[in-house]
Amino acid sequence: MKVYRYLTGKDDVHFCARVSKALNDGYELYGAPTMTFNGTEVIVGQVIVKDEVDESELSEQFQRAYQLQFEKN
Protein backbone atom coordinates (compact mmCIF):
# COMPACT_ATOMS: atom_id res chain seq x y z
CA MET A 1 0.00 0.00 0.00
CA LYS A 2 1.28 3.45 -0.87
CA VAL A 3 0.91 5.96 1.98
CA TYR A 4 0.39 9.69 1.35
CA ARG A 5 1.18 12.42 3.87
CA TYR A 6 1.08 16.20 3.56
CA LEU A 7 3.38 17.87 6.05
CA THR A 8 2.70 21.52 6.87
CA GLY A 9 4.15 24.03 9.29
CA LYS A 10 6.07 27.22 9.82
CA ASP A 11 9.07 27.62 7.52
CA ASP A 12 11.69 26.90 10.16
CA VAL A 13 14.29 24.36 11.23
CA HIS A 14 11.61 22.20 12.89
CA PHE A 15 9.73 21.75 9.62
CA CYS A 16 12.96 20.85 7.83
CA ALA A 17 13.74 18.31 10.56
CA ARG A 18 10.28 16.71 10.15
CA VAL A 19 10.79 16.35 6.40
CA SER A 20 14.33 15.03 6.89
CA LYS A 21 13.14 12.44 9.42
CA ALA A 22 10.40 11.28 7.05
CA LEU A 23 12.92 10.93 4.21
CA ASN A 24 15.19 8.88 6.47
CA ASP A 25 12.18 6.73 7.42
CA GLY A 26 11.72 5.75 3.77
CA TYR A 27 9.31 8.43 2.51
CA GLU A 28 9.99 10.17 -0.81
CA LEU A 29 9.17 13.73 -1.82
CA TYR A 30 6.20 13.99 -4.17
CA GLY A 31 5.65 17.13 -6.22
CA ALA A 32 6.75 20.65 -5.47
CA PRO A 33 6.63 22.21 -2.01
CA THR A 34 3.96 24.81 -1.27
CA MET A 35 4.34 28.13 0.49
CA THR A 36 1.93 30.80 1.73
CA PHE A 37 1.94 33.74 4.10
CA ASN A 38 -0.67 33.97 6.86
CA GLY A 39 -0.01 37.63 7.69
CA THR A 40 2.57 36.77 10.31
CA GLU A 41 4.57 33.74 9.21
CA VAL A 42 5.49 31.81 6.11
CA ILE A 43 3.73 28.43 6.11
CA VAL A 44 5.16 25.63 3.98
CA GLY A 45 3.94 22.21 2.92
CA GLN A 46 5.40 19.14 1.28
CA VAL A 47 3.74 15.94 0.12
CA ILE A 48 5.61 12.74 0.90
CA VAL A 49 4.77 9.16 -0.11
CA LYS A 50 5.97 5.74 0.98
CA ASP A 51 5.34 2.19 -0.18
CA GLU A 52 4.36 0.49 3.08
CA VAL A 53 5.17 -3.16 3.23
CA ASP A 54 3.79 -3.79 6.73
CA GLU A 55 0.37 -2.27 7.38
CA SER A 56 0.86 -2.80 11.13
CA GLU A 57 3.22 0.22 11.01
CA LEU A 58 0.21 2.44 10.23
CA SER A 59 -1.63 4.07 13.10
CA GLU A 60 -5.03 2.66 14.06
CA GLN A 61 -6.58 6.03 13.23
CA PHE A 62 -5.18 5.87 9.69
CA GLN A 63 -6.33 2.27 9.25
CA ARG A 64 -9.90 3.18 10.33
CA ALA A 65 -9.98 6.19 7.99
CA TYR A 66 -8.68 4.06 5.16
CA GLN A 67 -11.33 1.36 5.71
CA LEU A 68 -14.07 4.02 5.70
CA GLN A 69 -13.16 4.82 2.10
CA PHE A 70 -14.29 1.33 1.07
CA GLU A 71 -17.48 1.44 3.13
CA LYS A 72 -18.66 4.66 1.42
CA ASN A 73 -18.84 2.91 -1.95
Side-chain angles (χ1 to χ4, degrees):
M1 167 193 304
K2 185 167 272 207
V3 176
Y4 168 97
R5 289 178 61 195
Y6 183 52
L7 302 178
T8 61
K10 290 191 305 186
D11 186 16
D12 61 12
V13 68
H14 300 287
F15 180 79
C16 294
R18 287 175 57 212
V19 173
S20 295
K21 181 178 182 325
L23 293 174
N24 286 306
D25 287 346
Y27 283 86
E28 297 179 12
L29 299 176
Y30 183 84
T34 58
M35 184 180 294
T36 191
F37 184 68
N38 68 4
T40 307
E41 302 165 325
V42 175
I43 306 297
V44 292
Q46 177 64 57
V47 174
I48 54 175
V49 293
K50 179 179 181 182
D51 285 320
E52 284 288 343
V53 176
D54 186 356
E55 291 185 24
S56 68
E57 294 178 28
L58 302 172
S59 71
E60 287 183 30
Q61 182 179 9
F62 180 91
Q63 291 181 30
R64 282 192 304 270
Y66 184 75
Q67 286 302 319
L68 284 175
Q69 302 311 304
F70 295 102
E71 293 172 12
K72 290 181 179 178
N73 293 328

